[in-house]
Amino acid sequence: MSPSSATNRKRNVNSFACVFVEFILFLIHLSPGVTSSTSPTSVRQCRRRFDVFTVTSESLSKLRNCPHSPALHGSDSAQRPSMTSENGQDPRIARISSAIRVIPNFPKPGIMFQDITTLLLDTRAFRDTVDLFVERYRGKDISVVAGIEARGFIFGPPIALAIRAKFVPMRKPKKLPGEVISEEYSLEYGTDKMEMHVGAVQAGERVLVIDDLIATGGTLCAAIKLIERVGAHVVECACVIELPELKGRDRLAEKPLFVLVNAA
Amino acid sequence: MFAAENGLKGDPRLQAISEAIRVLPHFPKPGIMFQDITTLLLDHKTFKDTVDIFVDRYRNMDISVVAGVEARGFLFGPSIALALGAKFVPLRKPGKLPGEVISEAYALEYGTDCLEMHIGAIQPGERALVIDDVVATGGTLSAAIRLLERVGGEVVECACVIGLPETKGNCRLNGKPLYILVEPRQIDNCC
């Protein structure tokens, strides 16, 4: 992508910012957990993904400076007003975003797979990823971090240890020994099941659900249901990556979602 | 080698770790006493102690890679990697890792299975630790060692929370040292 076309695209976004504010106010009036970011449809390339996120963050920065905008501090994406770069984005996000590798046509043709294993090879970016979540959730009286098999197992335990919470694995069928409860959820074709141990989470506990990525939101939704079935409260869902075009955020109903990176 | 025989004799953390692990008879099939580490993860202090024991051991060994075996190795490996400033490399069942991988087959009781690792995750000469929750016959860990060595990695040690009787007291796997925190607790057979 050429620098001039990127600049033009950024200008166009900025010029729509205040109209965008009104739209956001309308959506927030309907539902508090709604995203405030939009991204233009674009050819799916790794470098383009990062540029889209930069544009998105500029839009959000304009929103915060617009007189009618509500406080959006960190409500759905990683921004820290106290320590932001010029475009309002936490400076650690850029490195995290570029550390994620996109693999076309995996697991099947047409899917652009967001591969976080390259993030795990960048020790600073991996540390920053965990830190961003820990900073958000420390001191919020969260006693359980529920991580979804298997990539939720990579991010969940370090966060749980840092915020002094239990870690509870949410697993595919028949992996957990002993007594479990199950929740079925839809796939593109057919259904799958998620299981949680009976007794792992107590009624009234405050829970964070973590996974590497939210796509359609089906898996996160199943996790929320399992946790609520035992009388616990899901405070927030947290993912490294969101695929906003798949509208998983909407499927979580009123549950807040926090993500670090939006992937186009 | 067991931690208790290797510098941590009488360490109260080892007893707490042993007691935090739930033993479930006849899972996944009759005759197996399943060592369930999920109860350890519910005990924040003991989970932290587990990670700390490994980190203390490997801190000055110049480890740049922690390779965790799917899926329960993922529960311990990343925290250890972060504390050591090392990369975390997931070793996965077939078909899970996107992009270019290498594969290593290993024997099961009936049949074989496969472990995969990304090409390019490890550079030749890197010093690696392999982590899993449990070691039994050592088949999975041996496959992990072979994967890392095929790309020129140097496996410094394999580390597990629990060592089952099938290890037969072996303190080496494929010539590599094996470090284990606890052995299975003896429980009354209730079934």
PDB file of all heavy atoms in Angstrom, chain A residues 51-62:
ATOM      1  N   ASP A  51      -2.246  -1.433   9.459  1.00  0.00           N
ATOM      2  CA  ASP A  51      -2.635  -0.096   9.043  1.00  0.00           C
ATOM      3  C   ASP A  51      -4.101   0.168   9.360  1.00  0.00           C
ATOM      4  O   ASP A  51      -4.460   1.244   9.786  1.00  0.00           O
ATOM      5  CB  ASP A  51      -2.408   0.081   7.534  1.00  0.00           C
ATOM      6  CG  ASP A  51      -0.923   0.120   7.209  1.00  0.00           C
ATOM      7  OD1 ASP A  51      -0.138   0.432   8.117  1.00  0.00           O
ATOM      8  OD2 ASP A  51      -0.560  -0.199   6.073  1.00  0.00           O
ATOM      9  N   VAL A  52      -4.945  -0.836   9.179  1.00  0.00           N
ATOM     10  CA  VAL A  52      -6.362  -0.667   9.494  1.00  0.00           C
ATOM     11  C   VAL A  52      -6.518  -0.348  10.960  1.00  0.00           C
ATOM     12  O   VAL A  52      -7.276   0.518  11.352  1.00  0.00           O
ATOM     13  CB  VAL A  52      -7.152  -1.936   9.124  1.00  0.00           C
ATOM     14  CG1 VAL A  52      -8.545  -1.892   9.738  1.00  0.00           C
ATOM     15  CG2 VAL A  52      -7.258  -2.047   7.612  1.00  0.00           C
ATOM     16  N   PHE A  53      -5.770  -1.043  11.794  1.00  0.00           N
ATOM     17  CA  PHE A  53      -5.913  -0.803  13.226  1.00  0.00           C
ATOM     18  C   PHE A  53      -5.441   0.600  13.574  1.00  0.00           C
ATOM     19  O   PHE A  53      -6.000   1.259  14.426  1.00  0.00           O
ATOM     20  CB  PHE A  53      -5.151  -1.856  14.034  1.00  0.00           C
ATOM     21  CG  PHE A  53      -5.358  -1.679  15.492  1.00  0.00           C
ATOM     22  CD1 PHE A  53      -6.537  -2.080  16.093  1.00  0.00           C
ATOM     23  CD2 PHE A  53      -4.398  -1.067  16.276  1.00  0.00           C
ATOM     24  CE1 PHE A  53      -6.737  -1.897  17.445  1.00  0.00           C
ATOM     25  CE2 PHE A  53      -4.603  -0.880  17.624  1.00  0.00           C
ATOM     26  CZ  PHE A  53      -5.766  -1.301  18.213  1.00  0.00           C
ATOM     27  N   THR A  54      -4.384   1.090  12.907  1.00  0.00           N
ATOM     28  CA  THR A  54      -3.897   2.435  13.157  1.00  0.00           C
ATOM     29  C   THR A  54      -4.972   3.443  12.818  1.00  0.00           C
ATOM     30  O   THR A  54      -5.236   4.372  13.568  1.00  0.00           O
ATOM     31  CB  THR A  54      -2.651   2.721  12.306  1.00  0.00           C
ATOM     32  OG1 THR A  54      -1.696   1.709  12.556  1.00  0.00           O
ATOM     33  CG2 THR A  54      -2.077   4.074  12.643  1.00  0.00           C
ATOM     34  N   VAL A  55      -5.644   3.229  11.682  1.00  0.00           N
ATOM     35  CA  VAL A  55      -6.722   4.125  11.284  1.00  0.00           C
ATOM     36  C   VAL A  55      -7.810   4.105  12.335  1.00  0.00           C
ATOM     37  O   VAL A  55      -8.316   5.122  12.757  1.00  0.00           O
ATOM     38  CB  VAL A  55      -7.292   3.712   9.912  1.00  0.00           C
ATOM     39  CG1 VAL A  55      -8.559   4.472   9.616  1.00  0.00           C
ATOM     40  CG2 VAL A  55      -6.261   3.950   8.834  1.00  0.00           C
ATOM     41  N   THR A  56      -8.181   2.918  12.768  1.00  0.00           N
ATOM     42  CA  THR A  56      -9.227   2.776  13.776  1.00  0.00           C
ATOM     43  C   THR A  56      -8.881   3.564  15.021  1.00  0.00           C
ATOM     44  O   THR A  56      -9.693   4.273  15.575  1.00  0.00           O
ATOM     45  CB  THR A  56      -9.397   1.292  14.134  1.00  0.00           C
ATOM     46  OG1 THR A  56      -9.746   0.584  12.947  1.00  0.00           O
ATOM     47  CG2 THR A  56     -10.480   1.112  15.164  1.00  0.00           C
ATOM     48  N   SER A  57      -7.605   3.461  15.465  1.00  0.00           N
ATOM     49  CA  SER A  57      -7.220   4.149  16.698  1.00  0.00           C
ATOM     50  C   SER A  57      -7.263   5.648  16.521  1.00  0.00           C
ATOM     51  O   SER A  57      -7.589   6.377  17.436  1.00  0.00           O
ATOM     52  CB  SER A  57      -5.810   3.731  17.094  1.00  0.00           C
ATOM     53  OG  SER A  57      -5.827   2.353  17.370  1.00  0.00           O
ATOM     54  N   GLU A  58      -6.941   6.148  15.311  1.00  0.00           N
ATOM     55  CA  GLU A  58      -7.023   7.583  15.075  1.00  0.00           C
ATOM     56  C   GLU A  58      -8.463   8.054  15.209  1.00  0.00           C
ATOM     57  O   GLU A  58      -8.739   9.099  15.775  1.00  0.00           O
ATOM     58  CB  GLU A  58      -6.487   7.924  13.687  1.00  0.00           C
ATOM     59  CG  GLU A  58      -4.975   7.868  13.628  1.00  0.00           C
ATOM     60  CD  GLU A  58      -4.430   8.453  12.341  1.00  0.00           C
ATOM     61  OE1 GLU A  58      -5.184   8.582  11.379  1.00  0.00           O
ATOM     62  OE2 GLU A  58      -3.235   8.771  12.334  1.00  0.00           O
ATOM     63  N   SER A  59      -9.388   7.238  14.665  1.00  0.00           N
ATOM     64  CA  SER A  59     -10.801   7.593  14.782  1.00  0.00           C
ATOM     65  C   SER A  59     -11.207   7.713  16.226  1.00  0.00           C
ATOM     66  O   SER A  59     -11.892   8.645  16.625  1.00  0.00           O
ATOM     67  CB  SER A  59     -11.667   6.525  14.101  1.00  0.00           C
ATOM     68  OG  SER A  59     -11.192   6.242  12.829  1.00  0.00           O
ATOM     69  N   LEU A  60     -10.766   6.738  17.028  1.00  0.00           N
ATOM     70  CA  LEU A  60     -11.122   6.742  18.446  1.00  0.00           C
ATOM     71  C   LEU A  60     -10.513   7.952  19.138  1.00  0.00           C
ATOM     72  O   LEU A  60     -11.122   8.543  20.018  1.00  0.00           O
ATOM     73  CB  LEU A  60     -10.658   5.445  19.108  1.00  0.00           C
ATOM     74  CG  LEU A  60     -11.457   4.222  18.666  1.00  0.00           C
ATOM     75  CD1 LEU A  60     -10.795   2.948  19.147  1.00  0.00           C
ATOM     76  CD2 LEU A  60     -12.865   4.299  19.197  1.00  0.00           C
ATOM     77  N   SER A  61      -9.293   8.308  18.748  1.00  0.00           N
ATOM     78  CA  SER A  61      -8.652   9.468  19.355  1.00  0.00           C
ATOM     79  C   SER A  61      -9.464  10.720  19.079  1.00  0.00           C
ATOM     80  O   SER A  61      -9.673  11.562  19.951  1.00  0.00           O
ATOM     81  CB  SER A  61      -7.235   9.595  18.786  1.00  0.00           C
ATOM     82  OG  SER A  61      -6.675  10.808  19.174  1.00  0.00           O
ATOM     83  N   LYS A  62      -9.962  10.861  17.831  1.00  0.00           N
ATOM     84  CA  LYS A  62     -10.796  11.998  17.477  1.00  0.00           C
ATOM     85  C   LYS A  62     -12.080  12.001  18.304  1.00  0.00           C
ATOM     86  O   LYS A  62     -12.565  13.032  18.737  1.00  0.00           O
ATOM     87  CB  LYS A  62     -11.155  11.950  15.985  1.00  0.00           C
ATOM     88  CG  LYS A  62      -9.998  12.279  15.075  1.00  0.00           C
ATOM     89  CD  LYS A  62      -9.660  13.757  15.163  1.00  0.00           C
ATOM     90  CE  LYS A  62      -8.443  14.062  14.292  1.00  0.00           C
ATOM     91  NZ  LYS A  62      -7.989  15.427  14.495  1.00  0.00           N
TER      92      LYS A  62
END
